[in-house]
Amino acid sequence: MFEEVPSFVDYHCHLDLYPDYEKQFRACDAKRIATLAVTTTPRAWPRNKVLTGTTSLVRVGLGFHPQLVGDHVEDLRLFAKYLPEARFVGEVGLDAGPAHYKTFADQKRTFETILKLCAQAGGKILSVHSVRSAREVISMIETHLTGTDNRVVLHWFTGSVAEARRAAGWGCYFSINQAMLGKTSTIMLIKGLPKERLLTETDGPFTKIGTRPTIPSDVAETTNLLATILQESPQETRKLLISNLTQLEKRTQCAGV
Ligand code: MN
């Protein structure tokens, strides 16, 4: 699978949440963007699986967003049911921001179950949310996924430099979006990471450029900005990101869509 060589990587985008989502799925192939279409609820899995089946560069993640856990604890059963079909898992994780802290205990139970299910199954690639909870997320990953062949991509990482190093030491990848590159502290953090662990993402349509939602092709500009940070040419960075994607996906089994 995914034998075609892409030009760019968007490893965290909610393709199914755009009003013109069918066009967005097709555009990933047309513009040669290897895209991980994350979802926020396991209820979205069957439809996203069908949409992804019509493309060659879109991967689909079985998701259970931490911000939705409070209302949908019963969806965990559905998550477990679909997991054997999924090679990619996301968006999952924890959110200790003020709006979602009240469900944090439920979120932890849910994320723990998801990690245990992934550990049992093996070969999954997870796109993980860690708002104000990087330390907790990293220690749960260490506890449940160490010694398995699952891989983790920390999406929109906002933890400390020490936490980033700890996550990189465990083997985590980091998907970087343009909003992150507006902060000097984040740029310094990225400079300190092994560049073999970097990927790009948009987190569209939740992020914006001006007043419009981002779309996967916006990773071209993110790649250019990252090139400046890494002091490389855009072409070298583009190759680096494709190579990182290939290495990440090579390390896991090829089960599921
Ligand atoms: Mn997201």
Side-chain angles (χ1 to χ4, degrees):
M1 29 190 307
F2 309 127
E3 279 161 13
E4 286 184 58
V5 180
S7 300
F8 293 100
V9 180
D10 182 354
Y11 225 62
H12 186 108
C13 184
H14 299 264
L15 285 183
D16 64 342
L17 299 184
Y18 292 83
D20 56 349
Y21 59 88
E22 283 172 320
K23 188 177 142 199
Q24 297 300 336
F25 270 84
R26 284 196 302 272
C28 293
D29 274 10
K31 295 179 178 171
R32 323 270 336 128
I33 305 162
T35 303
L36 175 54
V38 291
T39 58
T40 56
T41 160
R43 291 168 198 266
W45 174 255
R47 188 171 64 105
N48 274 268
K49 204 177 132 185
V50 170
L51 285 163
T52 303
T54 65
T55 76
S56 54
L57 289 175
V58 181
R59 295 98 167 109
V60 59
L62 172 63
F64 197 154
H65 199 292
Q67 294 175 355
L68 298 180
V69 163
D71 304 325
H72 301 281
V73 174
E74 74 277 11
D75 282 355
L76 205 44
R77 282 192 294 275
L78 212 48
F79 183 95
K81 177 185 159 191
Y82 293 136
L83 188 64
E85 300 174 12
R87 182 180 175 206
F88 300 90
V89 169
E91 178 166 2
V92 295
L94 297 178
D95 192 317
H100 304 286
Y101 193 73
K102 62 181 186 302
T103 64
F104 200 64
D106 273 343
Q107 291 180 38
K108 274 173 71 173
R109 272 195 294 276
T110 301
F111 188 45
E112 184 178 29
T113 304
I114 288 171
L115 293 175
K116 283 179 175 170
L117 288 166
C118 290
Q120 261 168 29
K124 310 293 184 194
I125 296 175
L126 291 77
S127 181
V128 177
H129 177 112
S130 58
V131 168
R132 295 202 189 182
S133 53
R135 195 168 56 96
E136 193 73 41
V137 163
I138 297 162
S139 64
M140 287 175 76
I141 288 166
E142 288 172 347
T143 301
H144 298 289
L145 299 186
T146 300
T148 74
D149 67 347
N150 295 281
R151 293 292 177 267
V152 173
V153 182
L154 293 173
H155 132 74
W156 202 332
F157 184 78
T158 53
S160 68
V161 170
E163 287 160 347
R165 284 209 193 107
R166 180 176 162 194
W170 184 84
C172 287
Y173 284 70
F174 297 81
S175 53
I176 310 294
N177 64 51
Q178 274 192 55
M180 295 169 72
L181 300 180
K183 281 183 75 181
T184 314
S185 57
T186 310
I187 292 173
M188 295 310 292
L189 182 146
I190 292 168
K191 281 186 175 179
L193 290 172
K195 63 181 184 178
E196 297 73 25
R197 296 290 179 71
L198 300 177
L199 296 167
T200 41
E201 64 162 49
T202 57
D203 202 14
F206 294 114
T207 52
K208 291 199 164 38
I209 291 184
T211 54
R212 69 159 175 92
T214 54
I215 52 174
S217 54
D218 290 318
V219 290
E221 180 58 15
T222 315
T223 304
N224 291 340
L225 294 168
L226 208 49
T228 308
I229 292 167
L230 299 175
Q231 298 180 295
E232 290 179 338
S233 71
Q235 182 64 6
E236 280 173 314
T237 302
R238 205 175 63 71
K239 281 189 183 157
L240 169 77
L241 294 167
I242 300 301
S243 158
N244 293 351
L245 168 83
T246 309
Q247 288 304 315
L248 165 65
E249 295 190 348
K250 233 193 233 173
R251 287 183 190 165
T252 63
Q253 296 165 1
C254 286
V257 294

